[in-house]
Amino acid sequence: AQSVTQLDSQVPVFEEAPVELRCNYSSSVSVYLFWYVQYPNQGLQLLLKYLSGSTLVKGINGFEAEFNKSQTSFHLRKPSVHISDTAEYFCAVRVVPYNQGGKLIFGQGTELSVKP
Amino acid sequence: ETGVTQTPRHLVMGMTNKKSLKCEQHLGHNAMYWYKQSAKKPLELMFVYSLEERVENNSVPSRFSPECPNSSHLFLHLHTLQPEDSALYLCASSPDSTGTDTQYFGPGTRLTVL
């Protein structure tokens, strides 16, 4: 079975500082990897996804993530955060191929709080 | 109107009430999903529909009953709920239900069961 662990439940950071949100996964088969963001009172929005190819994935709003197969990690980074990045961030995995159990499995979320 | 919409946005109901949540997607997608988001817990997938056929049902209690009359609409019928069912219920859609497609989420319905 697959699982996702987001290592930090809350990450406070000052504006314009860099940030890394950590995500580790467990799976015996290949996976697709996703990061979603949820702003207050809104649904989830895709930030970026890794399907194959280059292990460094760039997403919206200046975020990027690096897939590390040996460490089974998919950490999310941004070099300089803004107040508007305050939100909850979810890492998710999905098994490849789909017929081996293709549902999207989410981590518990990391609350990013950007302070002025 | 674009994207995925959900109504109502907030719902308060007693344990003996019957209510329904509605989701509508304007993206031309073929797959739709219901998720439950409880505080401090990961999102839980409840149901998946592909081309109006239920393809996944993750051991959800029978007091939750989904309905997908066409590929644009998804309902979640609720009856005799428990207080622990209070949560944010999110609907999502994707082009199909295979692994690579992005799921697009609605804003959710905040449900409180008294």
Side-chain angles (χ1 to χ4, degrees), chain B residues 2-14:
Chain B
T2 59
V4 181
T5 58
Q6 291 186 243
T7 55
R9 293 294 308 276
H10 300 272
L11 178 63
V12 179
M13 58 187 289

Side-chain angles (χ1 to χ4, degrees), chain A residues 3-4 36 54 56 91:
Chain A
S3 66
V4 179
Y36 281 85
S54 172
L56 183 63
C91 181

Side-chain angles (χ1 to χ4, degrees), chain A residues 20-107:
Chain A
E20 178 179 82
L21 306 184
R22 297 180 293 168
C23 173
N24 285 90
Y25 68 93
S26 171
S27 176
S28 58
V29 297
S30 297
V31 295
Y32 298 132
L33 296 154
F34 303 80
W35 274 100
Y36 281 85
V37 60
Q38 186 177 30
Y39 298 104
N41 300 313
Q42 295 187 29
L44 277 69
Q45 178 184 0
L46 182 72
L47 272 178
L48 48 79
K49 62 183 177 182
Y50 172 79
L51 305 180
S52 65
S54 172
T55 57
L56 183 63
V57 181
K58 294 190 183 296
I60 62 171
N61 301 341
F63 284 94
E64 63 180 33
E66 186 154 20
F67 169 53
N68 188 319
K69 187 175 182 178
S70 62
Q71 296 186 5
T72 60
S73 69
F74 191 53
H75 300 332
L76 181 71
R77 301 185 184 100
K78 186 169 181 177
S80 175
V81 294
H82 302 288
I83 298 284
S84 59
D85 293 322
T86 295
E88 189 144 21
Y89 292 78
F90 294 93
C91 181
V93 302
R94 190 156 190 177
V95 168
V96 181
Y98 170 72
N99 61 8
Q100 290 196 22
K103 68 181 182 181
L104 205 55
I105 298 170
F106 286 86

Side-chain angles (χ1 to χ4, degrees), chain B residues 50-77:
Chain B
S50 179
L51 295 171
E52 302 141 47
E53 181 179 334
R54 192 188 308 180
V55 296
E56 193 153 345
N57 175 355
N58 285 333
S59 302
V60 179
S62 59
R63 57 186 184 269
F64 295 92
S65 174
E67 179 190 1
C68 188
N70 55 62
S71 59
S72 298
H73 294 86
L74 184 65
F75 294 90
L76 188 62
H77 303 300

